[in-house]
Amino acid sequence: MSNHPASRILRDFFHPQLAINKEQTPAILGLTASPVVNSKAGKLEELERNLQAISRTPKIHREELLRQRHLPTLVTLTYHAVSTARQFPLLANLGQLRMSLDIEQDPYVKALLQSRPTASDSSELKRVKLSRKTYCQDQLKNLDNRAQIVEKELGPWGAYWYIFACIQKLQMGVRNRSASLELLDDDEKTYLESHLSNLLSCISEEAVPWLDDECLSGKVLRLVDFLVAEQIPGFTGLIFVKTRAEVAVLSELLSTHPSLTKHYTISTFVGESNSVKRRTNIAELVDIRSQVSTLDDLRLGRKNLVVTTSALEEGIDVSACNVVICFDHPPNLKSLIQRRGRARKSESKFALMLADHDDPATISTWQELELAMRRLYEDDMRELRDLEALEAIDEGDREFVVGRTGAKLLLSDAVSHLYHFCATLPTSHVAPVFTYQDNSQGVGQRAITAKVVLPISVDSSVREASGRCVWITEKNAKRDAAFEAYKQLYDAGLISDNLLPIRGYDEAIADVKTEVGKIPSLLQVAGQSKPWHLVARQWQAIKNISSLRCYEILLQRKDETIVTMHMLLPCSLPVIRHPIPLFWDASTTFSAKVYPSSSTPSRMDHAVQSTDLLFLSVFRSRMEAAKSDYVALFAPAEDDHDTQWAKHFSGTIKGEKLRQMDASVSALSRLGIVHDLTRQGVPHILKGFEEQSSDLDTLQSATHENELFFHVSRFPKRTDFLHPVPADVEKTLHKANKILLRPEDCEIDRLPLPYAYFAAMVPSILHRIGVRLLARFLCDTLLAPVELSQLDLVITAVTTSASHEPSNYQRQEYLGDSVLKFLTSLTLMSERLRWHEGILSSAKDHIVSNASLAKAALETGLDTFIQTKSFTGTKWRPLYVSDLLDSTAEEPREMSTKTLADVVEALIGAAFLDGGFDKAIAALKIFLPRVSWSRVDDRTEILLSAYDISIIYPPHFTQLEQLIRYDFNHKALPLEALTHPSYTGTNVSASYDRLEFLGDVCLDIIVSSTSFAHEPPIPTHGLHLIRTAVVNANFLAFLCLTLSMSVPRTTIITEGRNKISSHETTIPRQIWQFMRQTAPAVRLAQQDCLKRYEALGVPILESLQEGTHIPWSLLARLDAPKFFSDIIESLIGAIYIDSRGSLAACEAFLETLGVMGYLRRLLQGRVALYHPKEELGQLANTESVRYEVFRGEDGEGGGEERRLGCAVWVGEREVAKVGEGLCVLEVETRAAEEAVRILKAEKRGEM
């Protein structure tokens, strides 16, 4: 209704369309508890007009609905309001102390007197002396006033205990240098502590007096009687009081009262102050940290009575209660209704406490007001009527329209839009802050302007905005400031043309992002390229043998040369630096060296004949008789001038002609393959001659005793000599039994056996050469701008593990992933100086996503170069030029999106290894051209210039530089690196978010490149485990808490009543203590984590230095808030920029921190890398692993911290169970550790 966006859409768009075509009206049934939220006349009719609808109230089931509503019984607790019989002098002494203090001795006055006298100082001094308003005086006054209220409401005992407890807390805080007193000056601490301590020394009692009825107010006594009467199983209740002091005292009183201790467990709950500038209040006893678990304790039954202020009236989920007690009258009807609503249990009671002198009609008045709830609720705050009338004045509207899209921003929408923008910032719970200035000059003339300040995550250039008009109401002034702020954000590029917060990518590539997001996980890609097709095309230009390139292939076994052959090709080959290993069997390995030859065969036809002869010896059945246009020609290198070589070694010899032949090794080597004619010419290798023996297991074709036989072994059937043959498979392929053949059943090739060996290995040699040819073609075409010099890196990058080649892309992909993220982050951060970390992260994630990289691989045609087929040689045939030219492309194949993306990252890694960041950037320009890539040095200079600003450098930050052993040239960098997003103080350009974004990738590439370069090489999975362990947030947080240095500290010592002295000492100073923040929640989180660190620091450090396992569970139990690790990464980013892009400077800081030392331990293999949960998954094998987290039983894990437990199931069996945990990650990790221990013991047979 009114100007709600939905109402305007209906009014401005739907109704005009409806006037043209009424058939467009939808038919919809809507259900609501109440169609309107107030009872203003005409609102229901307005709603019906907007929706083109009618409203009806159902009558059926109304009685059933009313039966489910449990209204509490209203109970009046009347008490006798008279002074108690017993009094204590402590309260009176406090008042006398406050009035008797000499203002001249106040620390603030003394400071003014000691400072240089100025006009302003003199004026301030006069004001303070007259008003007596100093911090110390105010604290004493506040304590006195609260104590008087407590005495009036609760009695003398309450006032005594309150004063005593406040003084004790102050004394303990001064003695222990409590963080809660850090905002006090040393002089103020000493002044307050000495005077209040003297106050206690003036009384005879050394402790709080015994609790009895004579020192309690009649109000408290009546409350105690009521609670005694309400003692029932399952009781839960709330007591509402006015002040925080009453909360503390009443909870202590009820907890210690002998009539209540057996049945009631008391807790407290008060509101948290939103003021980050609030100084220490010595009159505050309630510890916010102690109430963290109050509501959970109430739900779980660990506590059953909570004393609270109005903080629990609304907005917090509170369990239904049996009893709700208003210790004081509710301030208004709203409070009455909200408090009464907490008593939702059946037969619950809502108690109001009234003094015996109160008007009895008070209760009936409340009941009458409740019956008229809606009418009186609207003007509950009657003093706001005039303001409401002003707010209703229409002061006009204005709009901002984006021409490209038609998106419109109205003045009335601006505030909600601005809040939505702040909700998208990376830091939670941040909102714009509005301030107002009243420029009114006369009575009745209001002139208000507003200013808005956005959170410090927003760039400082657009962080503040002021309204441009003067308004009658604050509401419209606020809209004006929000309107100008939103326009300012749009002009800065932080708001899109649709007037919505940008999500990390330019609108120019929004369509591309949409397309990328649609890519499925499995794609159909081009078939794998055939490298010999390229060679076949080049044969068409060859006219004679002189146009060919000649290479020598040296086949060796160990250091013995078996044969040397010439290979003739129409093109040059890439350099093959390393011999090609060829695995003949499990015990025999050949190698083939390929290098350019200085001589060339004289005639082409002789080379063709030689190639024919070679292939016929091994591949006779696979050859085509009419073809001889081989894609590669082979000829013996040692017989270059013997044109009769092929003719000389053609044909076969009958076996019986060899009966009288010399059986020496040299003679046998001149013979070729032995073919068994009885078995279709199965090839064998001749070992020697042997007579028949009766103990032979195998004898083929033997009929006569004492007959001479050929002793042979089977020639390998396989044609894949690139992959080793396991010994167990070797036994299956080649039986160890002797084979004897009758000579008359055999034929022997004239071609000597070494040439047959070579011929058999030609498919394997050609495959290796083909891989290099294809990689060179990739370098000469797609990757030409990169100018890669190391072809082996390219081969590795495009080879998948499925191809079973000697190397695959996985390790290079690991490195390329880090390089890509580093360069992307650096580019985005320098190009988008106003983007906050949330937008930067979103943009980076899009650019480096698998979908984006896979699309890049497809668009560039990289997919056809990716090697996925494993060479087996099973279907290998001699390669003919005519067949290759006539053949079609390989059939399309399926490939995962991740594989495509991994190959792109592996090529980026190859470029980085070949030529550093410059070549990596050249590769990125090919695959991701939409990003404006440029040199790292240029990007770093852009960032550095952004921090070339003058700031006020805090003196203690020089200690930080000493601690981290780095001196900053640009002081704005460390200041920003240690500014938490909650900080609202002065001297700030931005929070640490952007620097943390950069530092994260700097850390990643340092760890990744160091791990990658380790010798011997670490397997890919190990690299990932090491990186996970080192960049882990809990590990970095621990180092942040550990690295320290000693700094001087002055300690104030009180000796007796009037003697005060100072003592110079040193205290440890850690990095986290330099972080600037102003949020109480952050301070509490620091203190809680420090407590855990004090208990866990030593065992964690010992494990890191000497342990055999990473202390995963201890680090998880530390449960350090993220800002501890964030400031480590932000400091890395700050050092990188300040050092003009020196990763070595960042690495030096990591060395100081301890990261590099631990990384070396991991690389040396001294520490088990697996996380317990991952190790458990391996032990479980195919069985599922399930973690069940639970809370401890009643009474288990008491205290302020809730305790958790976890049971881990493997399959249908509960293997382990742990308890007493502080967080989910910890108990799951501990449970996994225990399960691993049990399963390993079972495997060893120990359980």
Side-chain angles (χ1 to χ4, degrees), residues 31-46:
L31 300 176
T32 177
S34 175
V36 292
V37 296
N38 56 50
S39 59
K40 289 184 179 179
K43 285 297 180 181
L44 184 58
E45 290 78 4
E46 179 184 350

Side-chain angles (χ1 to χ4, degrees), residues 387-400:
L387 182 58
E388 289 177 351
L390 287 173
E391 298 287 1
I393 296 176
D394 185 6
E395 296 188 71
D397 207 343
R398 69 174 186 268
E399 64 182 31
F400 169 71

